[in-house]
Amino acid sequence: QAELRQQAAASLDGEYALIRHLAELVADATAGQGDTAEEQIVRLESEAELVKVVTVHKSKGLEYPLVLLPFACSAREVKRSDGFVWHDAEGRAHMDLEPDDAAVARAECERLQEDLRLLYVALTRPRYACWVGVACVSVGNAKQSSLHKSALGYVLSGGAPIEPSALMPLLLQLRGGEEAIAVETLPETPLPGHVQPGGSEPAATQPARDYASRPGERWWIASYSALRYAEDEETPEVPDAPETPTQDVMAEAGAEQAVVASPGPEAQGIHAFPRGAVAGTFLHDLLEWAAEEGFAEVAARPDALADLIHRRVQRHGWQAHAAMLAEWLPELLRTPLPLQGGGTVALADLHDPSRYRAELEFWFAVNRVDTRALDRLVTAHTLDARPRLPLLPDRLNGMLKGFIDLLFEHDGRYYVADYKSNWLGADACAYTVEAVRDSVLRERYDLQYAIYTLALHRQLRARLPDYDYERHMGGVLYLYLRGVDGAGHGVHAERLPLDLVEAMDRLFAEGDRADAA
């Protein structure tokens, strides 16, 4: 069983998928549905008598009772476009980026020498008998046989082309008077439905067998970016879950809805920085680097930051913004951020790196979750139940994964912070509490921070012995980086009610059963 699970793990994504696979096998066995599965046949104590498929390279030095070589006539010629190494008369290795005919011919000769060595290895593995398949095979749509280019063909004709009519005489000549070598032709067995010339009509085909087992339920790895809204109906393709935080940011920034600039003052400073997914990822990476270095350290000693920015902007041709970015980021880190329920905190106040974590990856199981049920829950408990784009009907079943930009603890409470590079206007006045809230509704970030809050809730519940949601959960801070100015602009702070988090917890654990209840 352990070997079977190891084999399944090679095609499954993560340990939770493997656990689910094992649970399904157990359930099928209990229900009597898995008795005919090939993988469930009890293995022999010894596999010595079983058929083994191995490469010629792997077989070197081994011995088998019986050996079958069905592809002994295959050969892969050296092509001029291939990268290959050839050796001169003194044995020196050469590699040509533009090989001439002589180099190609030399490399092809070395290829044939290696194939002959491997043919010898294969023919000397059996203890009792060896079957070798021989035919005038061709490559692709070629009409001429390529048998003579293989090692076995070289043994038969010395490299001269072999016509089908000449194959049997060459085999008999190779056998000579050796009684231990038998040359036999395969019987001409017609394919099903094929009529031999002058023959009768083929027998009627048998009806297809019915599939009696239960169909496999769709199991997939989803993320926030996989949730689709009413405006996405024309693009039904669901994106794959991001593998890295950078992919996550790029997917989210790429789906960001553009805001049309209204007449007003010309954008200055961070507001004039380029927009789009690449620019958003750039700002996000700066904050991730600041977290690794220490927010307080970067704010107090910006020299290393200036050097980093100078090197990174050159990749995108943004040198004109280097000085602005080197001044903007430390100021952002020192800016007091309003917290839900009162009080403020600046990222530079998080002196102890052990009290915060950047790019926290999370995974948790989802069990047949109706996206409409999730949408109803989040809509009813966030942002005063204001109307927003509804989710399209779908079913989440498998795993949900994501990356939280920043998780930090302040005064005994834990907070989720997420960085947004959305452009709402030419100055900080465009990032009022109302404008940011409208953006959250428009982009459906409420669903994102509801999922993030549930992930944090489950983590704290598992790790804190005296965990209490009301006492330990601080809420979420969505930072619209271009608009954060210390006057309350550019920040959306919210603390979700416990009823919503517990309802989502049940929904993801029980799926449609929880929704029905």
Side-chain angles (χ1 to χ4, degrees), residues 408-426:
F408 67 90
E409 181 267 331
H410 175 67
D411 289 342
R413 286 176 170 263
Y414 293 83
Y415 297 85
V416 167
D418 199 85
Y419 311 131
K420 301 301 180 188
S421 62
N422 308 53
W423 191 92
L424 303 185

Side-chain angles (χ1 to χ4, degrees), residues 310-329:
H310 177 73
R311 287 185 282 108
R312 291 192 176 186
V313 293
Q314 294 183 14
R315 305 173 190 172
H316 307 283
W318 296 338
Q319 291 89 333
H321 300 281
M324 177 275 296
L325 291 170
E327 182 180 349
W328 164 78
L329 184 56

